[in-house]
Amino acid sequence: MRKALPRCRGWTDFVDDWQPRDLILVTRKAPRDQAQKLLFEHHKEAFPDELVPLLYRPRDSRLQNVLVTIPGPDMAKEELVLNDVVEVSVETAQEVLDAKWGQDWALGYALTVHSSQGLTIKDPQKSSTSTSSPGAAPPPDTDGRPEPAYDEAVARKNIGRKIQSYQRVDAAKGHKCNLRLKDVEALKEKQRNRCSSCNIELLWCYEPKDTRQFSVDRIDNAKGHKRDNVWLICLECNRKRGVAALTHCEATKNGGLLPGNVSAGQLQDLFDSI
């Protein structure tokens, strides 16, 4: 991401020019959380009378388009959806951080790229992009982790292992998987080794839990992993797609629109094999 940015600034330089209404987009949760903490401390010191942005993040995803009590002495209510922003005093924001207003709120200075999709930036609000934790300067898209060395043999082995996994999953569901190693390599070239969802650079040699690793995601989950039905996305985006599908299905089930005997295993089938 740094290569695509017109100018990169150090954290100290950035904070000197920062205003509470400005928004930061980050690639990962860890730098987001660290930036939020540091900016709130700076906000209290430099802008004690200005309002603090709070992000609505209900733990229960069904609590959307409903009246929500806004933290603060007035206890006003507004109809909110996920990632809506409200503004409160510094004192109320501190109470939120102290968990006095439940677990459905977070500071709204920074969002991950995933969470910001569809967000409208309003004038005179400024938006900045961060690829690393405040005060650090790691390589692009790493969150401070060392970039694994690329080894073509290892990369091909990882592709083959994942294709075998997709074949097993598709066979169990009665789908067909006609992917070959050359198909995945062609997608890598076509997408310039970028995630189709968040545009980070994909890894082909990685630690098992590294969310930057490639995955072959189905565009239409009603079909198998076929050449004309897949794209490359990172593991984190693949997981988010699966969680969103599972959450939607759970909510539908709880709302009585699905049979009550639908099992957790059947719901789990909504997840892509990763």
Side-chain angles (χ1 to χ4, degrees):
M1 183 178 287
R2 285 172 181 256
K3 295 177 182 178
L5 296 176
R7 182 165 69 104
C8 292
R9 309 173 65 185
W11 177 255
T12 301
D13 181 35
F14 167 77
V15 170
D16 288 342
D17 193 40
W18 177 81
Q19 297 289 321
R21 284 182 53 83
D22 296 344
L23 177 66
I24 304 175
L25 302 181
V26 297
T27 55
R28 291 288 183 260
K29 294 179 181 179
R32 177 201 67 190
D33 294 342
Q34 187 176 358
Q36 302 259 50
K37 180 179 179 180
L38 293 174
L39 288 175
F40 182 58
E41 293 303 316
H42 180 65
H43 188 143
K44 289 191 293 184
E45 180 180 343
F47 307 97
D49 298 324
E50 293 201 27
L51 297 177
V52 178
L54 284 186
L55 206 62
Y56 180 56
R57 286 186 183 158
R59 289 197 168 189
D60 185 342
S61 62
R62 293 168 293 174
L63 296 179
Q64 300 192 58
N65 292 309
V66 296
L67 287 176
V68 177
T69 300
I70 308 301
D74 296 336
M75 298 188 67
K77 292 189 176 183
E78 293 184 23
E79 187 173 303
L80 301 177
V81 297
L82 178 68
N83 288 333
D84 272 353
V85 176
V86 300
E87 294 182 323
V88 300
S89 68
V90 169
E91 293 75 19
T92 297
Q94 185 62 62
E95 292 178 354
V96 169
L97 295 181
D98 293 338
K100 294 182 179 180
W101 290 91
Q103 303 295 321
D104 292 341
W105 300 94
L107 292 172
Y109 301 122
L111 290 172
T112 62
V113 174
H114 301 84
S115 299
S116 67
Q117 294 179 23
L119 183 69
T120 299
I121 306 299
K122 300 179 180 179
D123 185 51
Q125 187 178 28
K126 292 189 299 183
S127 175
S128 302
T129 304
S130 172
T131 61
S132 60
S133 298
D141 303 324
T142 65
D143 288 354
R145 292 167 289 177
E147 193 76 36
Y150 180 79
D151 184 308
E152 185 173 356
V154 172
R156 290 193 163 202
K157 182 178 179 180
N158 287 335
I159 295 172
R161 179 178 56 81
K162 291 200 176 190
I163 288 177
Q164 289 178 353
S165 175
Y166 302 144
Q167 289 172 339
R168 289 194 298 270
V169 170
D170 285 343
K173 297 179 181 180
H175 297 321
K176 291 184 178 180
C177 174
N178 63 3
L179 283 181
R180 298 293 182 267
L181 186 146
K182 64 180 182 180
D183 300 321
V184 178
E185 291 181 329
L187 275 176
K188 177 185 177 184
E189 181 72 19
K190 180 180 179 181
Q191 295 180 203
R192 299 181 180 179
N193 196 34
R194 292 283 172 176
C195 171
S196 286
S197 181
C198 71
N199 202 42
I200 69 165
E201 187 173 358
L202 297 170
L203 295 185
W204 301 80
C205 305
Y206 45 80
E207 295 297 323
K209 294 184 179 180
D210 196 321
T211 57
R212 298 168 294 165
Q213 65 179 272
F214 81 97
S215 66
V216 184
D217 182 51
R218 290 172 293 165
I219 299 171
D220 182 351
N221 286 337
K223 302 177 182 179
H225 291 79
K226 304 180 72 174
R227 298 184 189 95
D228 59 351
N229 187 45
V230 294
W231 57 3
L232 297 178
I233 63 176
C234 67
L235 180 60
E236 180 169 335
C237 286
N238 202 335
R239 285 175 174 171
K240 286 179 179 291
R241 287 196 69 200
V243 169
L246 185 59
T247 300
H248 172 73
C249 194
E250 284 280 17
T252 306
K253 177 182 176 182
N254 292 335
L257 299 180
L258 287 178
N261 61 354
V262 173
S263 69
Q266 288 171 310
L267 290 174
Q268 186 66 34
D269 284 343
L270 288 170
F271 282 97
D272 291 335
S273 170
I274 54 178

